[in-house]
Amino acid sequence: MFSIIVPVYNRPDEVEELLESLNNQTTKNFEVVLIEDGSQRPCKEVADRFRDKLEINYYAKENTGRSDSRNVGMKKAKGDFFVFFDSDCVIPPEYFTILTNALKNESFDCFGGPDAAHESFSILQKAISYAMTSFFTTGGIRGGKRQMEKFMPRTFNMGFKREVYDQIGGFKNMFGEDIDLSLRIRKAGFKVVLLHDAFVYHKRRVDLKKFYRQVNIFGKARISLYLLHPEALKLIHALPAFFTLGVVCLLLLSIVCSPLWLLPLLFYILLLFFDSLRVNRNLAIALLSVPVSFIQLIGYGMGFLQSFFEKVILRKGLEDIHYLKKHYK
């Protein structure tokens, strides 16, 4: 019924954890399609060890990026429903039972689910997970229980019917490709739902420098999405940019005028700390959640502001947008 499509680039250890979690599923009505994207450390040996437990189809190709890899996976897939995970995900045992029952009880064409931190994750991984899922950062945009915008599935946990792919086509070669595809799916009139119970454990980056770079790219991608889908940009998407500018202004005012201007920042720091403490019940995670949340918001905000100034104000670097409009649906 399902084809699980996973692009892989130099992540054999992650793939082993992912396949082990898929092997532990209470419902196994799926095939696994692994697309090796020109890796120097391939995962073929890992895949071979699971062939007697799972239906695995492994394909190696030159490095062309994750979007093209997912598109190749859809062309190779045999299932009626495509499901996408990142290689750094671990899937709870009931996931495909929950998804199968959801499809029996409700008619929908595309779905997405949230992500969470597994108990085995490191303190830093749990702090990053908090920053990426909390309502007080950008979690309300991404698919938390409290939604601040219309839900758009992301490729760490999303899926859609084969007929959606036949009509809409695949992923564009861009950052924010999953949101772009979700927007195109909605525009075509397909039904998109958020399945709260179909969550995955998402490890993410464990290096703060890489984490900053990742969220910075997310901010830049939002401007590219705006240029492709002007109607999709909402005020809420600019909140990290406003937050970044606000932090700079408060710091300057505290130096020039009075330290009292730091009180709003102190209030927000305490809000993050106590909310993370409530969620994670761990003092170390709560303490680390504060700087990680600032990295997430400021990294995203800086990317948003930089790309907005270059592409919207100066109208520079638009070649990629023109190419996408010309060569994709």
Side-chain angles (χ1 to χ4, degrees):
M1 183 175 184
F2 301 106
S3 290
I4 302 170
I5 299 169
V6 183
V8 184
Y9 182 70
N10 291 331
R11 303 289 180 89
D13 295 337
E14 289 181 355
V15 170
E16 184 166 15
E17 288 187 270
L18 172 61
L19 293 180
E20 186 62 47
S21 69
L22 291 174
N23 185 49
N24 292 330
Q25 292 296 302
T26 54
T27 299
K28 292 185 179 180
N29 50 352
F30 56 78
E31 65 165 340
V32 183
V33 183
L34 296 174
I35 308 298
E36 191 83 71
D37 187 30
S39 300
Q40 289 76 50
R41 295 187 295 118
C43 66
K44 186 177 187 305
E45 290 186 7
V46 175
D48 288 342
R49 292 203 297 271
F50 283 86
R51 288 189 186 278
D52 61 338
K53 304 173 184 177
L54 298 168
E55 181 182 349
I56 297 179
N57 295 297
Y58 172 90
Y59 302 95
K61 66 175 187 63
E62 63 180 8
N63 179 245
T64 55
R66 61 183 184 273
S67 291
D68 185 57
S69 296
R70 293 188 182 107
N71 292 339
V72 169
M74 286 188 283
K75 292 176 182 177
K76 302 288 187 180
K78 297 179 290 185
D80 299 317
F81 210 107
F82 302 153
V83 177
F84 299 89
F85 299 133
D86 286 345
S87 62
D88 58 353
C89 289
V90 176
I91 316 304
E94 298 291 331
Y95 183 95
F96 281 94
T97 299
I98 292 169
L99 179 54
T100 300
N101 291 337
L103 284 166
K104 290 179 181 178
N105 296 327
E106 181 182 2
S107 176
F108 57 86
D109 306 297
C110 174
F111 82 94
D115 57 335
H118 191 269
E119 59 182 12
S120 66
F121 286 8
S122 70
I123 290 175
L124 179 56
Q125 286 173 326
K126 290 177 180 178
I128 290 175
S129 178
Y130 171 81
M132 294 296 286
T133 59
S134 172
F135 179 80
F136 297 112
T137 54
T138 61
I141 301 176
R142 296 171 49 77
K145 289 187 177 181
R146 289 179 287 179
Q147 279 293 107
M148 295 189 286
E149 73 151 355
K150 188 175 290 186
F151 174 64
M152 297 293 168
R154 266 68 164 187
T155 45
F156 63 81
N157 183 11
M158 75 177 290
F160 46 80
K161 294 178 179 178
R162 178 182 288 272
E163 64 190 73
V164 173
Y165 167 68
D166 291 338
Q167 180 172 332
I168 302 300
F171 295 92
K172 295 177 181 177
N173 185 22
M174 60 179 290
F175 291 114
E177 73 280 5
D178 45 6
I179 301 177
D180 169 79
L181 184 60
S182 294
L183 286 166
R184 287 152 53 204
I185 290 172
R186 283 193 179 276
K187 286 180 181 180
F190 290 106
K191 183 177 180 180
V192 181
V193 300
L194 167 60
L195 301 180
H196 290 291
D197 294 332
F199 65 91
V200 302
Y201 299 116
H202 199 184
K203 285 190 169 183
R204 305 191 180 283
R205 304 292 186 267
V206 294
D207 180 308
L208 288 181
K209 184 177 180 180
K210 292 180 180 178
F211 178 60
Y212 176 88
R213 189 182 306 124
Q214 182 186 47
V215 294
N216 185 261
I217 289 172
F218 290 168
K220 292 178 179 178
R222 182 57 68 175
I223 299 302
S224 295
L225 289 165
Y226 159 70
L227 293 171
L228 291 170
H229 309 276
E231 77 288 349
L233 184 68
K234 309 298 182 184
L235 180 62
I236 189 173
H237 299 134
L239 288 182
F242 291 136
F243 175 84
T244 301
L245 294 174
V247 168
V248 173
C249 289
L250 289 173
L251 290 175
L252 290 176
L253 287 169
S254 70
I255 295 171
V256 175
C257 299
S258 167
L260 292 176
W261 283 101
L262 293 176
L263 287 177
L265 284 180
L266 178 61
F267 174 79
Y268 185 62
I269 287 170
L270 292 174
L271 176 65
L272 291 172
F273 171 78
F274 284 110
D275 184 60
S276 179
L277 188 62
R278 175 189 63 83
V279 171
N280 295 292
R281 301 183 182 278
N282 184 289
L283 182 60
I285 297 173
L287 287 170
L288 193 54
S289 294
V290 174
V292 169
S293 295
F294 271 74
I295 288 172
Q296 188 236 18
L297 288 167
I298 292 174
Y300 184 105
M302 290 296 291
F304 185 99
L305 290 168
Q306 179 186 344
S307 189
F308 181 84
F309 182 75
E310 291 176 354
K311 293 188 174 183
V312 178
I313 303 299
L314 300 181
R315 305 299 294 176
K316 290 183 177 180
L318 297 177
E319 298 81 5
D320 56 337
I321 302 300
H322 297 322
Y323 179 86
L324 292 171
K325 288 181 176 180
K326 182 178 180 180
H327 291 87
Y328 291 90
K329 294 181 181 180

